[in-house]
Amino acid sequence: MATEDNTQRLVDALVAGRDEFTAQWNRTVSGNLQGRLSTAELGRELGELYEAIVQALTAGGLSGRGEEFAEVRSLLIELSRNRARQGFTPSETARSVLALKDVLEPALTTDGHGAEIYLQFARLLDDLGLLTTEAYVRTREEIISAQAEQLLELSTPVVKLWDGVVGVPLVGTLDSARTQVVMEKLLQTLVDTNSTHAIIDITGVPTVDTQVAQHLLKTVVAARMMGAQCTISGIRPQIAQTIVALGIEFGDIPTNATLAEALRQALKEIAQDAEDDARGLL
Amino acid sequence: MKQYATGAPAETVAVTSSSDVVTARQMVRTLAQRSGLSLVHQTKLVTAASELGRNMLVYGGGGVVRAAPVSDEGRRGIFVEFTDEGPGIPDVELALTDGWTSGNGMGLGLSGAKRLVDEFEIESGPGGTTVRIVKWGR
Amino acid sequence: MTDRVPVLKIGDILLVSIQTDLEDQMVMDLQDDLSHRIVETNAKGVVIDISALEIVDSFVGRMLATNASISRILGAETIVVGMRPAVAMTLVELGLSLKGVRTALNLERGLRLLRRLTAAPADRA
């Protein structure tokens, strides 16, 4: 069969020119990456890839998504993941594979039959190039979602302000997912530190709309059901104006203009309770 | 509701008394723990199951609770279905509004349960009622 | 016969520590038992410890609210203590806020609050 002959000739060419081709491939790709990857590492990557491609072709495959190319695909996915993590662009990643076309073109297209074989091989490489882009994008998505989760954790430090008082400074936009995390951490800290007062400071929150007010109210109510009091502080004048202008129901939420004022209030209540306790014992 | 790939065969509990509701919610909790749902998600799901299980017992004369782990695009979650052969809910829309009750509850059963889960579906007719819910992990 | 939740008397306080997953019948029995015991013992306060409860649904939530109202009529303050964070978050989402129910973080704080509530009026009068 014609294709089998073609594949065989391709394999012969690849095997015969192995050293020359891989060296040239290396040079092209490393020029492209401008030395941001060590020559040794690149050489190893491309060498392994080259061997895997030869083996897949020997096994009789010319379809990049076929059974024979499983090893090639897993090497490519590995390569793309590394490139994505190291901050290379998707084009730079895809070109690592596509550069092999440039390397083989002069060697294969010496006659009409050779050109036909080259085209088949080029199609295969295009397909593999696409695969790297897919793997690259997937990795970036994983990185992004992992970072989003880290950011969620990072942006909500619950701190103990005083004996019996914990606080959380909120910075940025409040959405449901974040409120959930803040709420959970704040309430758990109340239990862990045996604190009766919580202060949520919203100085760093750009806007307060109905939804944000809802989230804050839920936190206040949940804290109350656990036996703690939750106050919102750091309400900037513009925010107070917005709240009133929009007619947002803030009624059940205890508020203070500043964190300092909220803390003073909380300490006063704690002192009052302690005093009552002492009197109760007499 | 989309048909999600189930990770294991569904487990079932027949509910004919209030102690069966406890058994059913314990089954749901075990599945949720195994699927790695966070504690808050577990608590919300189990509470929803408790509301719906009780509803099924009180208004539907009992029925079957079926639960299974499901997955979709890398997310893992729990699917729970409540089926009874009771008289059905005459006005589902109305039954889903806060404060509405035909029994001695607070009228938070259906609407409250709906708020606690990610997906909620209800089918009701003279032949009975089926409620399906899904809660996804974080 | 279903199990009943024990109601313990310590001085003029009734202590209820719920340790098992509650069946609806147990919830109703508890409400009944509590109101009877308040009258029998002339209790001034009731502390309900729910720290072991993994879920509180609308049925249990309603019992806690109703019980607080009933005991107030009978001259006793009720304090619900030890609600878990996940339970509180779920109750809020469910639409329950337990308005009118006094709460405390744990049993110790609950007892202290009760002492304050029962001692304070006489003190300040």
Side-chain angles (χ1 to χ4, degrees):
Chain A
M1 277 221 302
T3 31
E4 267 173 31
D5 287 349
N6 286 354
T7 320
Q8 192 50 51
R9 195 177 145 185
L10 185 57
V11 171
D12 290 345
L14 286 172
V15 171
R18 171 180 289 140
D19 293 342
E20 188 197 329
F21 291 149
T22 47
Q24 208 184 328
W25 192 16
N26 253 310
R27 269 197 305 281
T28 319
V29 176
S30 70
N32 182 323
L33 300 179
Q34 291 162 343
R36 280 174 293 157
L37 201 65
S38 80
T39 334
E41 195 180 336
L42 183 65
R44 187 188 49 80
E45 269 180 6
L46 297 185
E48 278 177 4
L49 197 54
Y50 193 89
E51 287 313 315
I53 291 174
V54 171
Q55 262 178 27
L57 290 169
T58 313
L62 250 178
S63 149
R65 312 268 157 163
E67 180 80 23
E68 298 85 356
F69 277 83
E71 171 69 12
V72 175
R73 283 198 300 272
S74 78
L75 282 173
L76 277 178
I77 288 169
E78 183 62 29
L79 180 146
S80 312
R81 296 181 76 89
N82 289 338
R83 294 279 199 283
R85 288 211 185 87
Q86 288 154 346
F88 291 98
T89 69
S91 323
E92 282 167 340
T93 309
R95 247 180 253 142
S96 296
V97 178
L98 299 180
L100 189 54
K101 288 205 292 192
D102 301 340
V103 173
L104 289 179
E105 190 182 346
L108 283 175
T109 56
T110 46
D111 55 44
H113 188 207
E116 193 187 311
I117 296 171
Y118 170 73
L119 279 177
Q120 281 182 336
F121 191 58
R123 260 202 298 278
L124 170 70
L125 287 180
D126 287 343
D127 204 17
L128 295 178
L130 278 179
L131 193 83
T132 64
T133 308
E134 281 168 28
Y136 180 95
V137 170
R138 252 201 316 278
T139 308
R140 286 303 273 262
E141 274 167 5
E142 282 166 19
I143 292 174
I144 290 169
S145 75
Q147 282 176 343
E149 205 152 294
Q150 282 172 9
L151 205 63
L152 216 58
E153 292 288 321
L154 279 177
S155 56
T156 55
V158 179
V159 289
K160 187 172 167 182
L161 296 173
W162 207 272
D163 274 344
V165 190
V166 299
V168 55
L170 285 184
V171 177
T173 326
L174 264 187
D175 57 20
S176 307
R178 258 194 85 193
T179 316
Q180 183 97 6
V181 175
V182 174
M183 213 166 154
E184 204 177 330
K185 261 180 123 175
L186 185 67
L187 300 182
Q188 191 56 53
T189 312
L190 286 173
V191 176
D192 295 344
T193 60
N194 191 12
S195 298
T196 50
H197 289 73
I199 302 171
I200 301 179
D201 189 82
I202 60 166
T203 311
V205 176
T207 53
V208 171
D209 55 17
T210 317
Q211 193 143 23
V212 171
Q214 268 296 322
H215 289 323
L216 292 174
L217 182 60
K218 279 181 187 171
T219 314
V220 170
V221 173
R224 205 196 63 76
M225 286 197 287
M226 288 173 54
Q229 201 177 327
C230 183
T231 309
I232 312 294
S233 74
I235 303 176
R236 288 175 285 124
Q238 308 95 289
I239 293 209
Q241 286 177 28
T242 322
I243 290 171
V244 175
L246 290 176
I248 295 168
E249 202 50 65
F250 234 73
D252 284 346
I253 310 180
T255 51
N256 275 109
T258 63
L259 179 57
E261 190 49 49
L263 182 57
R264 193 175 302 136
Q265 184 86 34
L267 292 176
K268 210 162 92 188
E269 284 173 21
I270 289 173
Q272 180 67 54
D273 286 350
E275 202 180 300
D276 287 351
D277 281 348
R279 208 162 15 165
L281 288 175
L282 293 175
Chain B
M1 188 182 288
K2 204 172 132 186
Q3 196 72 43
Y4 295 108
T6 49
E11 294 184 28
T12 53
V13 169
V15 173
T16 54
S17 72
S18 72
S19 67
D20 296 332
V21 176
V22 176
T23 314
R25 68 186 184 216
Q26 279 163 353
M27 164 186 80
V28 172
R29 175 176 288 276
T30 310
L31 283 174
Q33 277 168 344
R34 233 184 272 152
S35 286
L37 262 67
S38 75
L39 183 62
V40 175
H41 282 53
Q42 279 178 37
T43 309
K44 288 184 176 174
L45 173 67
V46 176
T47 308
S50 183
E51 300 291 342
L52 296 171
R54 176 181 306 109
N55 262 0
M56 188 174 78
L57 181 66
V58 175
Y59 304 114
V64 175
V65 180
R66 211 165 60 87
V70 288
S71 62
D72 181 51
E73 290 170 8
R75 298 185 295 174
R76 306 221 294 164
I78 298 293
F79 164 86
V80 193
E81 183 186 70
F82 306 80
T83 314
D84 67 53
E85 291 172 354
I89 302 165
D91 189 343
V92 172
E93 196 93 346
L94 183 67
L96 275 169
T97 35
D98 268 349
W100 183 85
T101 174
S102 66
N104 60 352
M106 287 181 99
L108 290 169
L110 276 183
S111 58
K114 189 180 176 189
R115 277 195 296 271
L116 292 178
V117 296
D118 298 308
E119 290 178 44
F120 184 97
E121 182 183 82
I122 181 164
E123 278 166 27
S124 191
T129 303
T130 299
V131 180
R132 296 184 191 91
I133 56 172
V134 176
K135 183 82 185 165
W136 294 110
R138 228 200 283 247
Chain C
M1 258 294 282
T2 47
D3 295 335
R4 289 179 109 88
V5 180
V7 178
L8 310 173
K9 179 180 173 297
I10 307 166
D12 52 4
I13 292 172
L14 294 179
L15 175 64
V16 180
S17 177
I18 303 173
Q19 294 293 331
T20 48
D21 204 346
L22 290 178
E23 241 176 74
D24 289 1
Q25 189 55 49
M26 292 170 79
V27 175
M28 291 188 280
D29 289 345
L30 176 59
Q31 189 171 308
D32 219 34
D33 291 352
L34 259 177
S35 50
H36 281 105
R37 290 293 299 274
I38 292 172
V39 174
E40 279 166 28
T41 62
N42 201 16
K44 287 282 160 279
V46 178
V47 177
I48 304 180
D49 181 5
I50 59 165
S51 59
L53 279 189
E54 288 178 329
I55 71 157
V56 171
D57 61 13
S58 64
F59 196 79
V60 176
R62 187 172 56 117
M63 178 273 284
L64 294 173
T66 312
N67 192 68
S69 308
I70 294 175
S71 42
R72 200 162 294 144
I73 293 171
L74 298 174
E77 275 293 343
T78 299
I79 316 234
V80 173
V81 304
M83 184 184 289
R84 298 183 179 194
V87 170
M89 290 172 72
T90 303
L91 272 181
V92 171
E93 213 61 56
L94 194 59
L96 276 178
S97 60
L98 301 190
K99 267 208 163 99
V101 179
R102 287 184 189 272
T103 52
L105 277 181
N106 48 45
L107 186 56
E108 195 189 348
R109 283 190 178 278
L111 290 171
R112 240 189 286 166
L113 173 59
L114 199 54
R115 206 157 46 209
R116 227 179 288 148
L117 289 170
T118 47
D123 236 17
R124 279 169 192 164

